[in-house]
Amino acid sequence: MKQLLVTLIVFALTAAAQKFEYWPGAQYDAAIPTVEKTLGYAAGTKHATHLDIVKYFEALAAAAPGRMKVFEYGRTWEGRKLIYAVIASEVNMRRLGEIKAAQVKYADPRRTPAAEAKKAVAGMPAILAMSYGVHGNEISSPDAAMMTAYHLLASKGDAMIEGVLKNVVVLIDPLQNPDGRERFIYNFRVNEGLEPDAHPLAAERAEPWPGGRSNHYLFDMNRDWHVMTQPETVGRVRYLREWLPLVHVDLHEMGSNSTYFFTPGSLPYNPHLTQDQKEQMAWFGQNDAKWFDKFGWPYFTREVFDEFYPGYGASWPWFYGGMGMTYENASVRGLVVRRSDETLYTFEESVKKHFVASVATCETAMKYREKLLDSFYRYQATAIEEGQKEAVKEYILPRRGDTGAVDKLAHILAEHTIEVQQAKAAFKNGGKEYPAGSYTVLLAQPRKRFIRSLLDAQVSMEPDFVKEQERRRKKKLQAEIYDVTGWALPLVFNVECVGAAEASQGSFEAVTGPYVPKGAVSGKAEVAYVVPWGTQAAGRFLTSGLRANLKVLSANKAFTQGGRKYPSGTLILMVKQNPAEVHERVAKAAASSGAEVVAANSSWVEEGINFGSNHVITVKKPGVAMLWDTPASSISAGQTRFVLERQFGYPVTVLRVPSLPTADLSKFQVLIMPDAGAMGGTGYGNAIAAPAVERLRTWVRNGGVLIGIGSAVQFLSSAAVGMLAMQAEGLAREGAKPAEAAKPAAGAAAPAGPAAPAPGKILAKQEDFEKAVQADAELPDAVAGVLVKAKVDPETWVTAGLPETVNVLVDGRNIYSPMKRDRGVNAIVYAGAEELVQSGYLWEENRKQLAFKPFVAVQNEGRGAVVAFTADPNFRAYMDGLNVVFLNAVFRFPGAAVRGGMEE
């Protein structure tokens, strides 16, 4: 039987290779090279590597230079080239520069009056962008990109394709995530056998940790568009903003047993989408459906993949006036897979579906060219009108507090072509004073809706959608909220954002280009250099100084010198205690970090501790290790490593979890345990045996700092480990008492035979039924991602330099009981229920139960300490407002002199 199945699979693949047609009846120009002629294999019979894809696109451009050009837009972390192709008629290709400039001008009604815009439409093509393979293990779309480019260039006698080339400029990004795709292909090839294996559990498709979905630093880049932390995202945003496509499609894959998804997307819709944009979804969905019907393929729409979060590749375009779409294809994750209905699904078939959807999208863009252009212009004009009429006319970002974070936020906005101005001098607005360097963002501009989506504290979901989620939750059905519900950038950066009723007056200049830190030293110090703590820039200075082998001190308490108050954590570099090159090294660290460095010519302070106080500690250059591999969440591990290595320039040694029982931990002073994701604390419990736990405990007692993130806290606080005196809570029910099981009478034998019937109850009303079906004990409901306020205890080493409150992104269902004062300190605690939620939607029960529970707790163990982050401070590497507390945990442990966070 097994041999028969193998024979059938081989026959099916062989037959398909002989007669497979991507577009039945198509006639192609022999002068345009096929995939097989260029790469040595037919499209869909092998997974094209990154080098193959680049080679093929360059071959197409060489064969048809008058209709296709290839542009490089960046490099991945692993150095792979990122490209996109432009395909159009020869006439349009000759005027690409003119087309780009006209599109940008058309996008601004202040430069293009309505009458002029109406005339311009006749000569403007629709610009369509299609992006493939942002998730490296979603394998069909890059191969479909090759077929789409070939079909557009090689088709002969096809009136539809001729019309597309004449009326549409097509941008194709064939592979957004080369690093992840190469990981997938490597795993597939090293596990290949005699023939492709259709079994769903075959090793060739069962990817080892971390899988191919993410990029080198294990980021899901389809969540990164609004904050642009990754170089791949930065490159994409920059080339797309030059073109401002009317339509952008992001092509993905889902489970093998699914069909195909295309637009319209599901609720919730971001409230800043226009009615025009919502209606456009149906144009594309209906045309996709027409072609899928012709091929006899099932599909679905509207059920999932929302249009709410602005960080998706398919949502970012909405906010400059275009439209975004997600296409999701059933994945083979190999060359053939047996589905649950026993049918075989081949890689060629999956490639063909994305290819047909791509061609159908080109046709729709051609058909609705004028309407898409009209809608695009109307979006810009109405955005300006709304900005003029609404109560908030301007947002102000005061340049105070963590000024580097303010600068970074302003430049992120500018990178999205949002108009941002920086004040050359102090100014007033609404009776308030703002310092020089502050930023203003006028709402009466084309990007008004993007400004609101990024800066508003609350972007709400539709009330009916929320009501439906509450109904589903009550019945223990899975919520349909796809991603985080709170993302306001001022909150995640923990900086001020003030809405003003009028535009600011004064001297301002436009903000342009990427954020580049600008630090300075106030002079050449005779005694010491002082760096105020509490900012990203100071954190970068610390890591730079340590790596430059400078001796860095840190004050555990505040002090005042020269009339200025310095916060706890402030860095002090004594000139005589450092190398002769200290002045040059400090200047270099200041310039690269953006830190403010004050030259002190005296050690005298007017108030607070002196530089020689016992409350001033030496910051040692720690060896930092982090657990890597299963059961750690690859996302949590990747973003933690990225924050330390790429945002703060400090290397991390990653240790595979299985090495923990034998690893020499004495080489490290800090060990980080990332969140375990869906595995929870049991994931670590199953992977780390008791002897390894004892080695960890001994290492901490000897002076190590163990940092647990997310569900790692559940492992460290479990009874079997006992390194944190806190406990994950079940769902709290108001007025409920612990249930007691019925106990048999003393000496009574266990009853024989069937169980006795339950005592009879009368359920007189619906409420009685609801109580009767309620579980005796359950966990809090999972949260999709909400920004909440937390209050800081300033008298702990781990909170040095922090403001009174910080904002934390809470997701999942873990809520922990506070630590008793005799066991440790609750360094940062969530605010009370009434002031807790800052952005997003939080279930009412979670809101009440999360109040006054710990976000950061510290427990000393011997000469070391265990630090618990009950939520991930490095979430997607955009929680900049939590950078300092995480750096404190890594670098500032002062040793055994500190108990429970307070100095003895």
Side-chain angles (χ1 to χ4, degrees), residues 169-234:
V169 171
V170 181
L171 314 182
I172 294 179
D173 182 343
L175 181 53
Q176 300 179 74
N177 183 7
D179 294 351
R181 184 174 176 90
E182 293 302 303
R183 276 202 308 275
F184 172 85
I185 291 176
Y186 172 80
N187 177 71
F188 176 83
R189 292 184 177 177
V190 299
N191 287 290
E192 277 187 293
L194 179 63
E195 63 276 313
D197 196 328
H199 197 288
L201 299 180
E204 63 190 45
R205 66 172 46 82
E207 301 170 75
W209 193 98
R213 178 181 176 88
S214 49
N215 75 342
H216 174 79
Y217 271 100
L218 310 186
F219 275 66
D220 183 338
M221 291 190 290
N222 197 36
R223 305 294 186 274
D224 190 49
W225 284 70
H226 65 313
V227 286
M228 301 183 296
T229 68
Q230 301 303 296
E232 299 94 331
T233 313
V234 171

Side-chain angles (χ1 to χ4, degrees), residues 303-340:
E303 296 177 30
V304 69
F305 309 119
D306 65 61
E307 310 291 346
F308 187 60
Y309 175 66
Y312 304 136
S315 62
W316 179 80
W318 294 117
F319 300 104
Y320 66 73
M323 67 171 296
M325 297 185 289
T326 297
Y327 288 177
E328 293 271 354
N329 193 5
S331 181
V332 178
R333 289 293 200 275
L335 292 177
V336 62
V337 66
R338 187 187 312 113
R339 301 201 206 207
S340 59

Side-chain angles (χ1 to χ4, degrees), residues 530-603:
V530 182
V531 183
W533 189 242
T535 65
Q536 298 174 350
R540 290 190 292 267
F541 181 94
L542 171 63
T543 57
S544 179
L546 292 176
R547 298 195 71 191
N549 295 316
L550 293 173
K551 182 177 181 180
V552 183
L553 308 178
S554 179
N556 272 341
K557 292 188 176 183
F559 62 89
T560 301
Q561 186 186 54
R564 176 173 179 174
K565 186 171 183 178
Y566 292 88
S568 62
T570 291
L571 308 178
I572 303 167
L573 294 87
M574 304 300 295
V575 172
K576 296 294 177 65
Q577 294 179 17
N578 273 288
E581 303 84 6
V582 61
H583 306 291
E584 293 77 13
R585 294 184 192 180
V586 165
K588 184 177 179 180
S592 64
S593 67
E596 177 193 8
V597 182
V598 180
N601 296 324
S602 170
S603 63

Side-chain angles (χ1 to χ4, degrees), residues 673-744:
M673 295 183 71
D675 184 19
M679 293 187 179
T682 58
Y684 279 120
N686 294 332
I688 303 176
V693 170
E694 285 308 307
R695 292 187 82 244
L696 271 179
R697 194 190 316 276
T698 300
W699 173 79
V700 172
R701 286 174 175 168
N702 288 336
V705 175
L706 180 58
I707 300 172
I709 297 174
S711 57
V713 175
Q714 191 175 355
F715 166 73
L716 294 171
S717 62
S718 65
V721 177
M723 295 178 72
L724 282 171
M726 52 200 305
Q727 188 175 1
E729 297 183 346
L731 177 64
R733 292 178 179 148
E734 293 184 7
K737 296 180 180 180
E740 292 188 7
K743 299 178 181 179

Side-chain angles (χ1 to χ4, degrees), residues 180-306:
R181 184 174 176 90
E182 293 302 303
R183 276 202 308 275
F184 172 85
I185 291 176
Y186 172 80
N187 177 71
F188 176 83
R189 292 184 177 177
V190 299
N191 287 290
E192 277 187 293
L194 179 63
E195 63 276 313
D197 196 328
H199 197 288
L201 299 180
E204 63 190 45
R205 66 172 46 82
E207 301 170 75
W209 193 98
R213 178 181 176 88
S214 49
N215 75 342
H216 174 79
Y217 271 100
L218 310 186
F219 275 66
D220 183 338
M221 291 190 290
N222 197 36
R223 305 294 186 274
D224 190 49
W225 284 70
H226 65 313
V227 286
M228 301 183 296
T229 68
Q230 301 303 296
E232 299 94 331
T233 313
V234 171
R236 276 190 282 281
V237 167
R238 287 178 179 171
Y239 92 73
L240 287 171
R241 76 186 185 193
E242 293 177 2
W243 288 95
L244 296 179
L246 301 177
V247 181
H248 178 252
V249 189
D250 203 12
L251 293 94
H252 293 259
E253 285 188 341
M254 50 189 168
S256 299
N257 291 311
S258 298
T259 58
Y260 196 99
F261 171 88
F262 46 71
T263 197
S266 72
L267 295 176
Y269 287 175
N270 190 293
H272 299 296
L273 268 61
T274 66
Q275 188 59 35
D276 279 353
Q277 291 175 315
K278 295 174 184 178
E279 291 173 0
Q280 288 166 197
M281 296 183 204
W283 302 347
F284 287 85
Q286 287 170 1
N287 200 49
D288 290 347
K290 177 190 76 174
W291 285 103
F292 272 57
D293 287 345
K294 286 184 178 182
F295 284 95
W297 295 333
Y299 61 86
F300 66 100
T301 65
R302 301 184 183 90
E303 296 177 30
V304 69
F305 309 119
D306 65 61

Side-chain angles (χ1 to χ4, degrees), residues 458-784:
Q458 182 66 22
V459 177
S460 296
M461 298 178 286
E462 293 94 335
D464 287 347
F465 175 80
V466 172
K467 184 178 179 180
E468 171 62 9
Q469 303 319 300
E470 291 288 3
R471 184 196 70 79
R472 293 179 63 85
R473 189 168 70 94
K474 187 176 181 180
K475 297 190 70 174
K476 296 302 176 185
L477 300 174
Q478 184 175 351
E480 297 167 321
I481 301 173
Y482 195 72
D483 207 89
V484 298
T485 62
W487 58 79
L489 295 189
L491 293 175
V492 301
F493 280 56
N494 215 40
V495 300
E496 291 180 78
C497 181
V498 181
E502 58 185 24
S504 298
Q505 302 298 313
S507 179
F508 297 87
E509 60 185 353
V511 175
T512 59
Y515 168 59
V516 179
K518 297 177 181 178
V521 183
S522 65
K524 187 174 182 179
E526 297 178 8
V527 175
Y529 290 103
V530 182
V531 183
W533 189 242
T535 65
Q536 298 174 350
R540 290 190 292 267
F541 181 94
L542 171 63
T543 57
S544 179
L546 292 176
R547 298 195 71 191
N549 295 316
L550 293 173
K551 182 177 181 180
V552 183
L553 308 178
S554 179
N556 272 341
K557 292 188 176 183
F559 62 89
T560 301
Q561 186 186 54
R564 176 173 179 174
K565 186 171 183 178
Y566 292 88
S568 62
T570 291
L571 308 178
I572 303 167
L573 294 87
M574 304 300 295
V575 172
K576 296 294 177 65
Q577 294 179 17
N578 273 288
E581 303 84 6
V582 61
H583 306 291
E584 293 77 13
R585 294 184 192 180
V586 165
K588 184 177 179 180
S592 64
S593 67
E596 177 193 8
V597 182
V598 180
N601 296 324
S602 170
S603 63
W604 180 254
V605 300
E606 295 94 67
E607 188 177 342
I609 61 173
N610 294 100
F611 293 177
S613 167
N614 288 336
H615 297 291
V616 175
I617 61 170
T618 300
V619 181
K620 297 177 181 179
K621 182 181 178 181
V624 179
M626 182 172 64
L627 295 188
W628 198 248
D629 214 330
T630 304
S633 157
S634 63
I635 295 294
S636 178
Q639 64 201 19
T640 300
R641 187 182 190 185
F642 174 81
V643 166
L644 283 173
E645 290 193 344
R646 296 297 177 174
Q647 293 185 338
F648 290 95
Y650 202 83
V652 178
T653 299
V654 292
L655 303 176
R656 297 198 183 276
V657 174
S659 73
L660 198 55
T662 57
D664 181 5
L665 297 181
S666 67
K667 306 296 183 183
F668 304 102
Q669 289 70 51
V670 177
L671 177 63
I672 301 168
M673 295 183 71
D675 184 19
M679 293 187 179
T682 58
Y684 279 120
N686 294 332
I688 303 176
V693 170
E694 285 308 307
R695 292 187 82 244
L696 271 179
R697 194 190 316 276
T698 300
W699 173 79
V700 172
R701 286 174 175 168
N702 288 336
V705 175
L706 180 58
I707 300 172
I709 297 174
S711 57
V713 175
Q714 191 175 355
F715 166 73
L716 294 171
S717 62
S718 65
V721 177
M723 295 178 72
L724 282 171
M726 52 200 305
Q727 188 175 1
E729 297 183 346
L731 177 64
R733 292 178 179 148
E734 293 184 7
K737 296 180 180 180
E740 292 188 7
K743 299 178 181 179
K761 291 182 179 179
I762 302 296
L763 304 181
K765 52 187 182 296
Q766 182 68 28
E767 294 91 298
D768 296 337
F769 170 77
E770 296 296 339
K771 290 180 180 179
V773 299
Q774 193 173 55
D776 293 331
E778 54 189 323
L779 295 173
D781 287 326
V783 175

Side-chain angles (χ1 to χ4, degrees), residues 52-190:
D52 284 348
I53 292 168
V54 173
K55 179 180 179 180
Y56 185 63
F57 270 75
E58 289 176 345
L60 289 177
R67 290 177 291 147
M68 177 173 169
K69 290 185 178 180
V70 174
F71 299 88
E72 180 178 340
Y73 69 83
R75 295 274 172 155
T76 71
W77 285 116
E78 295 176 16
R80 294 186 175 92
K81 184 190 296 187
L82 295 163
I83 64 167
Y84 75 94
V86 181
I87 299 175
S89 67
E90 292 188 358
V91 171
N92 282 335
M93 286 298 290
R94 285 195 294 268
R95 61 188 194 102
L96 282 187
E98 175 191 331
I99 289 171
K100 286 169 66 174
Q103 183 79 350
V104 171
K105 183 173 182 288
Y106 184 77
D108 191 347
R110 297 166 302 182
R111 297 174 57 197
T112 310
E116 181 183 334
K118 189 173 182 179
K119 292 179 182 178
V121 168
M124 295 178 68
I127 301 174
L128 163 67
M130 296 187 287
S131 299
Y132 302 78
V134 72
H135 295 143
N137 59 0
E138 296 178 1
I139 52 177
S140 61
S141 72
D143 296 78
M146 294 194 296
M147 282 306 303
T148 302
Y150 173 75
H151 189 72
L152 290 173
L153 291 173
S155 292
K156 291 169 53 179
D158 188 325
M160 186 259 280
I161 296 300
E162 291 173 0
V164 167
L165 295 178
K166 180 180 178 181
N167 292 282
V168 182
V169 171
V170 181
L171 314 182
I172 294 179
D173 182 343
L175 181 53
Q176 300 179 74
N177 183 7
D179 294 351
R181 184 174 176 90
E182 293 302 303
R183 276 202 308 275
F184 172 85
I185 291 176
Y186 172 80
N187 177 71
F188 176 83
R189 292 184 177 177
V190 299

